[in-house]
């Protein structure tokens, strides 16, 4: 088990956080950062505040499960990551869960950034205390860290029949949680190539190589400021597996991207502010997040996307139950509920991310036929087969890789 040793964030990690908070995935359409949610200095102080190491903490540490006596579950999620009704006061799928089970959901949108939230909950987890939360949603790399630290509970398959049966194959066994013993996917986040047909004016784009090498696109190409997305897509283009690459492979990608920067091929590295560049035509093509592309396509006939033959990157946001949670069984029932096709479809129709639930398409078609037929929301088999995940990084790799990427992007 990995031991938690508090230390200060490296300059590269601080730069990566600033990128994410300013305009990265933490600022995506349905995951906007609330004003004043985090100061970098504040998180740095949290990271160095002498929290005890977790060497004696074991995974699966629970308080007595009070689910039978206390019909409640405390659920922390990202902002704008749940369906709402027209009044914007109610979450229909959560209300339906309560009506069916009698379990009331205290739903809190208090996750604005992975690092910030980690700083918020780690004092209690490291000390073996209850965080006050029964269910949390974290991006794959941080979910993996909490699992390695032994700070989340092993799930009981008996309470998760729908989740076990309906989880899409592409999400079943990440390297950080083989077999999904500790987590289930909330939503998938795909990285693709988006383009403006009018701005391309007949120039053909089929691959990352086209973005990096076609002189007709010079100065009109965008890459993402999120390291795993831009590096992962380029690794695939170079016939390398993002789930199994070496430090030399990483350096080769950095060198290739640096060459494109030096010759002015790449206009800039962006967060989701690429959407304005793409719609205006300043970007003819760029690396983009599928959730944004769904919205852009709905608003502009010139915007479209493609999946390179080499494949595309998919990350996940994941449901986990922290150690000492009081209502583990209730939380598992809520996880399982969202793997039933009907509530999964209602959620997908609203938030437009990659739905991880097999069998959801017929239910989604009853609500929104366009969404049901959109491969960015419901990937078909051929598209799912091209999905790749970025491998877990050691702390040393995380620091070294972010430093090199920061130098590349000028962060």
């Amino acid at each position: 088990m990995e031991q938690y040793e508090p230390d200060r964030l490296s300059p590269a990690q601080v730069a990566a956080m600033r990128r994410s908070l300013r305009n990265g995935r933490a600022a995506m359409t349905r995951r906007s950062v609330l004003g004043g949610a985090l100061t970098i200095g504040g998180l740095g102080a949290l990271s160095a505040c002498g929290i005890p190491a977790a060497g004696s903490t074991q995974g699966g540490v629970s308080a007595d499960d009070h689910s039978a006596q206390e019909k409640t579950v405390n659920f922390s999620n990202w902002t704008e990551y749940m369906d709402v009704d027209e009044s914007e006061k109610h979450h229909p799928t959560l209300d339906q869960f309560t009506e069916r089970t009698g379990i009331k959901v205290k739903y809190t949108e208090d996750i604005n950034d992975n690092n910030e939230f980690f700083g918020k909950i780690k004092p209690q987890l490291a000390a073996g205390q209850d965080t006050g939360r029964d269910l949390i949603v974290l991006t794959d790399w941080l979910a993996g860290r909490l699992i390695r630290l032994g700070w989340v509970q092993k799930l009981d398959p008996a309470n998760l029949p729908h989740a076990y049966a309906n989880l899409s194959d592409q999400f079943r066994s990440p390297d950080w949680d083989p077999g999904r013993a500790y987590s289930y996917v909330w939503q998938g986040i795909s990285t693709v190539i988006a383009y403006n047909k009018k701005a391309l004016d007949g120039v053909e784009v089929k691959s990352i190589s086209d973005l990096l090498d076609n002189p007709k696109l010079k100065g009109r190409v965008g890459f993402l400021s999120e390291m795993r997305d831009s590096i992962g897509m380029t690794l695939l283009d170079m016939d390398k597996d993002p789930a199994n690459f070496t430090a030399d492979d990483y350096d080769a990608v950095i060198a290739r991207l640096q060459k494109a920067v030096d010759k002015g091929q790449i206009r800039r590295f962006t967060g989701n502010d690429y959407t304005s560049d793409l719609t205006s035509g300043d970007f003819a093509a760029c690396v983009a997040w599928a959730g944004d592309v769904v919205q852009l396509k709905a608003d502009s006939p010139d915007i479209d996307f493609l999946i390179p033959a080499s494949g595309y990157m998919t990350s996940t946001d994941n449901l986990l139950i922290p150690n000492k949670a009081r209502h583990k069984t209730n939380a598992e029932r809520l996880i399982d509920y969202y793997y039933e096709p009907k509530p999964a479809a209602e959620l997908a129709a609203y938030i437009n991310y990659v739905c991880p639930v097999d069998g959801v398409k017929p239910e989604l078609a009853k609500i929104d036929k366009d969404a049901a037929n959109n491969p960015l929301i419901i990937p078909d088999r051929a598209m799912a087969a091209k999905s790749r995940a970025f491998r877990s990084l050691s702390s040393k790799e995380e620091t070294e890789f972010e430093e090199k990427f920061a130098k590349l992007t000028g962060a």
Side-chain angles (χ1 to χ4, degrees):
M1 183 182 297
E2 179 177 309
Q3 189 175 48
Y4 179 69
E5 295 291 351
D7 56 5
R8 292 192 180 277
L9 298 175
S10 71
Q13 289 171 318
V14 171
M17 284 172 49
R18 284 199 177 105
R19 290 197 305 272
S20 182
L21 286 169
R22 182 172 61 246
N23 51 23
R25 272 181 38 202
M28 289 173 71
T29 305
R30 298 200 179 280
R31 293 168 59 171
S32 55
V33 177
L34 300 180
L38 170 67
T39 64
I40 301 300
L43 182 54
L46 279 171
S47 298
C49 64
I51 296 168
S56 60
T57 302
Q58 299 297 315
V61 177
S62 64
D64 293 334
D65 191 350
H66 297 268
S67 293
Q69 298 81 24
E70 300 174 5
K71 291 290 191 177
T72 187
V73 59
N74 297 311
F75 183 7
S76 284
N77 202 350
W78 295 75
T79 57
E80 299 188 52
Y81 218 14
M82 179 66 73
D83 56 307
V84 296
D85 65 6
E86 292 183 359
S87 73
E88 298 188 357
K89 295 180 180 179
H90 301 282
H91 302 290
T93 57
L94 290 177
D95 292 345
Q96 291 161 24
F97 173 78
T98 298
E99 289 172 9
R100 181 198 298 184
T101 64
I103 299 169
K104 294 182 179 180
V105 182
K106 181 182 178 182
Y107 184 72
T108 308
E109 295 181 330
D110 61 346
I111 306 178
N112 303 304
D113 173 79
N114 283 289
N115 282 303
E116 177 208 9
F117 191 70
F118 181 61
K120 185 184 297 185
I121 63 175
K122 69 185 178 185
Q124 296 101 317
L125 291 173
Q129 299 172 352
D130 180 15
T131 66
R133 300 167 176 86
D134 302 304
L135 194 60
I136 57 178
V137 178
L138 299 176
T139 304
D140 41 26
W141 61 268
L142 183 55
R145 182 190 297 176
L146 263 65
I147 291 169
R148 292 193 302 272
L149 288 167
W151 289 356
V152 293
Q153 297 188 54
K154 194 169 186 177
L155 301 173
D156 184 350
N159 294 328
L160 298 158
H162 296 98
Y164 180 81
N166 296 336
L167 177 63
S168 297
D169 286 344
Q170 72 181 102
F171 300 124
R172 280 196 174 268
S173 196
D175 67 351
W176 49 270
D177 187 16
R180 292 287 178 183
Y182 294 89
S183 69
Y184 270 93
V185 179
W186 177 245
Q187 298 291 295
I189 305 167
S190 295
T191 305
V192 299
I193 293 176
Y195 59 89
N196 184 316
K197 288 179 276 190
K198 186 176 180 180
L200 281 178
D201 193 25
V203 177
E204 188 175 58
V205 171
K206 291 185 176 181
S207 67
I208 293 295
S209 287
D210 290 332
L211 269 59
L212 294 175
D213 301 329
N214 191 330
K216 293 181 180 179
L217 298 177
K218 182 176 180 179
R220 299 192 295 142
V221 168
F223 272 69
L224 291 169
S225 57
E226 292 288 342
M227 181 266 286
R228 288 169 175 81
D229 295 307
S230 287
I231 296 293
M233 291 292 281
T234 311
L235 279 166
L236 286 169
D237 190 72
M238 297 172 68
D239 200 27
K240 301 292 184 180
D241 185 357
N244 185 26
F245 66 90
T246 67
D248 287 342
D249 294 332
Y250 186 91
D251 288 345
V253 170
I254 291 290
R256 188 174 184 207
L257 292 172
Q258 187 66 60
K259 182 179 177 181
V261 170
D262 292 344
K263 69 182 182 181
Q265 186 76 7
I266 296 176
R267 185 183 183 95
R268 66 190 185 104
F269 290 83
T270 74
N272 78 323
D273 52 331
Y274 67 81
T275 57
S276 59
D277 290 299
L278 190 62
T279 54
S280 70
D282 288 340
F283 283 167
C286 62
V287 180
W289 288 304
D292 290 331
V293 177
V294 171
Q295 301 295 326
L296 293 175
K297 278 174 60 67
D299 296 334
S300 173
D302 290 328
I303 305 302
D304 213 333
F305 77 99
L306 65 94
I307 303 297
S310 58
Y312 68 101
M313 299 301 297
T314 299
S315 56
T316 54
D317 285 332
N318 308 275
L319 297 152
L320 305 105
I321 300 175
N323 283 354
K324 295 291 184 176
R326 286 177 60 88
H327 312 107
K328 180 175 183 284
T329 299
N330 291 346
E332 289 169 335
R333 292 184 68 182
L334 184 57
I335 294 172
D336 196 60
Y337 167 76
Y338 277 106
Y339 274 82
E340 296 178 27
K342 189 175 184 296
E346 292 180 39
L347 181 65
Y350 182 79
I351 64 176
N352 294 157
Y353 280 83
V354 179
C355 182
V357 181
D358 275 346
V360 76
K361 187 171 182 177
E363 290 293 337
L364 184 54
K366 297 175 184 177
I367 304 169
D368 186 336
K369 288 184 179 180
D370 289 340
N373 292 319
N374 190 331
L376 297 180
I377 300 173
I378 310 291
D380 57 27
R381 242 176 229 187
M383 182 169 172
K386 292 183 177 181
S387 171
R388 298 291 182 270
F390 204 90
R391 72 169 173 83
S392 298
L393 301 178
S394 67
S395 296
K396 181 180 178 182
E397 286 178 323
E398 182 85 36
T399 299
E400 291 178 353
F401 289 178
E402 284 288 5
E403 284 176 351
K404 291 174 181 178
F405 191 71
K407 184 178 179 181
L408 168 73
T409 61

